[in-house]
Amino acid sequence: MYKTILFDLDGTLTDPGLGITNSVAYALKKYGIEVEDRKSLYPFIGPPLHDSFMRYYGFSEEKAMEAIWCYREYFADKGLFENEVYEGIKELLEKIKLSGRKTVLATSKPEEFAVRILEHFDLIKYFDIVAGASMDEKRNKKGDVIKYAMEKGGFTADGAVMIGDREHDVLGAKENGIDSIGVLYGYGSRQELVSAGVTYIAENVTDIFELL
């Protein structure tokens, strides 16, 4: 039985689609880029923003960092709460808490923002540890965030599992010797998760507890 349960935030606990795409569109507009179809920005949900601005819009490292600060102008004020908790998540977290296991948030979102989101949706009470990216983007890769969570929480890979919706969650878990559960209701595909080497697949929130 898994004793320590790590959760991704975006696309796993909450659906941040509106807030993230609005924030990315706001940042891109600063560079004269207009986005007609917000769904084209869905690949930004999950991975580090720095990498996404470089990958999808050809930004240099310096320009990507500038774009992140533009993104945060909107996100910190509005985008943060243009978000909703997936159905069944509160009940899942309640069950895990009652089972006596340690619950950890491990997100590539800056820790400051992650705490505000958990507090806003009354989810913070379910978590023993909240680990996120640093605001300076020096700690933004999922593998580094998980390592930080392990150090912060004083737990090891033994008996731990990472739950997330993107390949970055799976690869970050593998990097730290941790099993993973990939969820299909978020923003990643089955193929993406399987290709990354996911340990288990959960079709829905109910499947997660059964796998645990």
Side-chain angles (χ1 to χ4, degrees), residues 58-110:
F59 284 17
S60 65
E61 286 201 24
E62 184 179 357
K63 191 174 178 180
M65 285 302 297
E66 289 176 354
I68 287 171
W69 289 108
C70 293
Y71 169 100
R72 288 176 181 166
E73 283 179 15
Y74 183 94
F75 190 81
D77 183 40
K78 298 179 182 177
L80 197 68
F81 305 125
E82 292 177 330
N83 196 349
E84 61 181 329
V85 180
Y86 284 114
E87 186 176 350
I89 286 296
K90 287 189 177 182
E91 291 80 3
L92 170 66
L93 293 173
E94 184 74 29
K95 284 182 182 179
I96 292 172
K97 197 71 175 173
L98 290 173
S99 72
R101 286 175 273 195
K102 181 177 288 187
T103 312
V104 181
L105 186 78
T107 175
S108 291
K109 186 180 293 304

Side-chain angles (χ1 to χ4, degrees), residues 22-177:
N22 280 347
S23 301
V24 173
Y26 174 88
L28 291 173
K29 194 171 183 178
K30 297 275 189 178
Y31 296 92
I33 302 169
E34 295 283 351
V35 179
E36 297 291 334
D37 180 10
R38 292 303 171 88
K39 287 186 178 180
S40 68
L41 299 178
Y42 280 178
F44 276 80
I45 301 172
L49 288 169
H50 177 268
D51 296 354
S52 295
F53 279 117
M54 292 176 66
R55 179 177 180 181
Y56 300 114
Y57 286 90
F59 284 17
S60 65
E61 286 201 24
E62 184 179 357
K63 191 174 178 180
M65 285 302 297
E66 289 176 354
I68 287 171
W69 289 108
C70 293
Y71 169 100
R72 288 176 181 166
E73 283 179 15
Y74 183 94
F75 190 81
D77 183 40
K78 298 179 182 177
L80 197 68
F81 305 125
E82 292 177 330
N83 196 349
E84 61 181 329
V85 180
Y86 284 114
E87 186 176 350
I89 286 296
K90 287 189 177 182
E91 291 80 3
L92 170 66
L93 293 173
E94 184 74 29
K95 284 182 182 179
I96 292 172
K97 197 71 175 173
L98 290 173
S99 72
R101 286 175 273 195
K102 181 177 288 187
T103 312
V104 181
L105 186 78
T107 175
S108 291
K109 186 180 293 304
E111 193 168 306
E112 176 185 320
F113 292 155
V115 168
R116 287 177 62 194
I117 290 168
L118 291 181
E119 288 176 341
H120 178 76
F121 290 111
D122 196 29
L123 297 179
I124 193 83
K125 63 188 178 186
Y126 298 115
F127 288 89
D128 300 290
I129 302 154
V130 176
S134 55
M135 290 293 274
D136 62 7
E137 292 292 305
K138 289 182 179 177
R139 181 182 66 245
N140 65 2
K141 304 288 186 188
K142 187 52 70 86
D144 293 339
V145 170
I146 292 174
K147 182 180 179 183
Y148 163 64
M150 293 168 75
E151 292 169 351
K152 186 176 182 179
F155 64 91
T156 65
D158 184 40
V161 63
M162 176 74 210
I163 302 171
D165 68 315
R166 300 299 306 273
E167 63 180 352
H168 311 276
D169 302 306
V170 176
L171 296 172
K174 286 174 70 176
E175 190 179 316
N176 287 281

